[in-house]
Amino acid sequence: MSDIDRLVQLLAKLPGLGPRSARRAAFFLLKRRQSLLEPLAAALAAAARDIRACSLCGNLDTADPCAICRDPKRDAGLVCIVEDLADLWAIERTGAYKGRYHVLGGTLSALDGIGPEDLHIDALAARARDGGIREAILALNATVEGQTTAHYITDRLAGSTVQISRLAHGVPVGGELDYLDEGTLAAALAARQVVKS
Ligand SMILES: [Zn+2]
């Protein structure tokens, strides 16, 4: 296989890139050797060399423990449990969360053969056992797999002193009731809050 074929084949493994767009991306890179190809190759090499998973929470960083776990201004007793890094980044972008995280690395899925041993659940149970966690927030996707995983984790932490909460499901900010799907509206009704009693 030629080097170009190999480049195209690797690029085609990226999310959102099929073989055709991978070929376009490869030629785009090769035509911009100094401005793009070489800096990208250097950045990829540095990432492969220096970025690793935090041994506490599973976040990716050049340091272990990661910057979030080391930050003394964050509440170490509050841990937000997410499926993957993209979810951690999404919550960080809100700027509204000042606790720590636990990245599971996926969700339980009988269909895909993903069991508890394939996720970072033992590490979470160990963190809970060590007594450092006061509250765990289940921030998992509102999918069957996400909710199955949430139930499993709740069971696993049942014997600990950790308080477990989950994200509210409901009407999105700026949302109009008429446009919501039935599942969201039903969840919003079930999770209604008292405004006067
Ligand atoms: Zn960490």
Side-chain angles (χ1 to χ4, degrees), residues 54 57 66 69:
C54 171
C57 74
C66 72
C69 285

Side-chain angles (χ1 to χ4, degrees), residues 7 29 33-49:
L7 176 61
L29 286 166
R33 170 172 282 276
Q34 284 184 353
S35 65
L36 194 57
L37 180 61
E38 287 173 4
L40 178 65
L44 287 172
R49 187 184 61 235

Side-chain angles (χ1 to χ4, degrees), residues 53-61 63-70 88 100-101 127:
C54 171
S55 55
L56 287 176
C57 74
N59 182 23
L60 292 180
D61 199 351
D64 181 16
C66 72
I68 290 176
C69 285
R70 286 200 322 273
L88 185 158
R100 291 185 183 174
Y101 292 92
R127 287 178 82 179

Side-chain angles (χ1 to χ4, degrees), residues 62-127:
T62 51
D64 181 16
C66 72
I68 290 176
C69 285
R70 286 200 322 273
D71 186 347
K73 289 199 290 293
R74 283 176 175 265
D75 182 350
L78 184 62
V79 170
C80 184
I81 301 167
V82 292
E83 179 178 332
D84 59 35
L85 270 183
D87 299 331
L88 185 158
W89 290 334
I91 294 173
E92 282 298 284
R93 277 199 303 275
T94 68
Y97 180 67
K98 293 296 172 221
R100 291 185 183 174
Y101 292 92
H102 194 87
V103 182
L104 294 175
T107 45
L108 296 175
S109 169
L111 209 62
D112 298 321
I114 300 173
E117 65 284 354
D118 300 310
L119 305 176
H120 299 138
I121 292 180
D122 283 344
L124 176 65
R127 287 178 82 179

